[in-house]
Amino acid sequence: MTEQVPNGAPAPGMTQVRMQILAQVVRDLSFENAVALKGVQATDVQPEMALAVNLDARKRSVENQYDVIIKLKVTASNKADKATLYILEVEYGGVFHIEGIPEEQLHPFLLIECPRQLFPFVRRIVSDVTRDGGFPSFNIEPIDFVGLYRNELARRAQAQQQQPTSVS
């Protein structure tokens, strides 16, 4: 990233990185309470949680602006019979203005640093929705966005290696 000198100016030869969150928005939110639909008391269950995380980033038509979206799917199942208790899906996005990031570092920046900035807000939404749905608040543990990024790169590399090569 950027090396800073004591007065706050970038070190000689370094560019100033500038990131600003212009907007944040819940793009989509769904909470399906299977317990309420079946007429079962939520106190009669022991939830077992599963979390899926997907990230997306896109360039906007305005220079230096990007959409970054965190897609979360939380599935709670009853420990005893594995019946679904609830499914929560949320897409939370931010519009970012980013300058000073070299092109080769922009992709990881968008999928690591930007979601890191959005995470506390989507975490709060998940906690509030699960609590308001009649279940204990689900407080998502901090997500390792660096690890997610590396795993996705490894998955893509492996998929590319497994593709058959055609001989002309």
Side-chain angles (χ1 to χ4, degrees):
M1 296 293 162
T2 305
E3 181 183 335
Q4 296 286 326
V5 291
N7 67 1
M14 300 293 289
T15 58
Q16 178 78 31
V17 173
R18 181 171 170 242
M19 178 180 80
Q20 182 180 9
I21 302 173
L22 302 175
Q24 295 183 57
V25 63
V26 175
R27 293 177 39 135
D28 191 23
L29 176 64
S30 169
F31 183 75
E32 181 183 329
N33 185 338
V35 172
L37 295 173
K38 293 176 187 173
V40 180
Q41 293 294 324
T43 55
D44 299 338
V45 296
Q46 292 183 325
E48 197 168 70
M49 311 303 291
L51 174 68
V53 181
N54 287 303
L55 303 172
D56 192 17
R58 295 187 187 113
K59 173 86 175 96
R60 294 174 62 94
S61 59
V62 178
E63 186 177 2
N64 297 321
Q65 285 190 13
Y66 302 86
D67 285 319
V68 177
I69 299 125
I70 298 175
K71 300 174 186 178
L72 297 177
K73 182 176 182 180
V74 179
T75 306
S77 305
N78 189 8
K79 202 175 220 177
D81 62 4
K82 304 298 182 203
T84 299
L85 302 174
Y86 68 81
I87 299 171
L88 174 115
E89 295 176 308
V90 62
E91 288 187 18
Y92 191 81
V95 178
F96 291 83
H97 180 93
I98 300 170
E99 293 180 44
I101 301 285
E103 189 66 33
E104 67 276 3
Q105 295 176 7
L106 185 59
H107 190 256
F109 189 87
L110 289 171
L111 294 176
I112 295 170
E113 188 55 36
C114 294
R116 198 178 310 198
Q117 298 297 315
L118 297 175
F119 178 73
F121 302 97
V122 74
R123 180 179 192 234
R124 175 68 186 263
I125 291 167
V126 169
S127 176
D128 288 351
V129 169
T130 54
R131 183 198 65 233
D132 292 348
F135 294 92
S137 294
F138 180 54
N139 293 311
I140 302 171
E141 293 293 323
I143 295 173
D144 177 9
F145 291 106
V146 172
L148 280 178
Y149 185 77
R150 287 179 179 156
N151 289 344
E152 180 60 16
L153 289 180
R155 186 194 65 77
R156 287 183 183 187
Q158 184 178 20
Q160 194 173 27
Q161 286 177 346
Q162 292 177 352
Q163 287 182 352
T165 55
S166 60
V167 179
S168 304

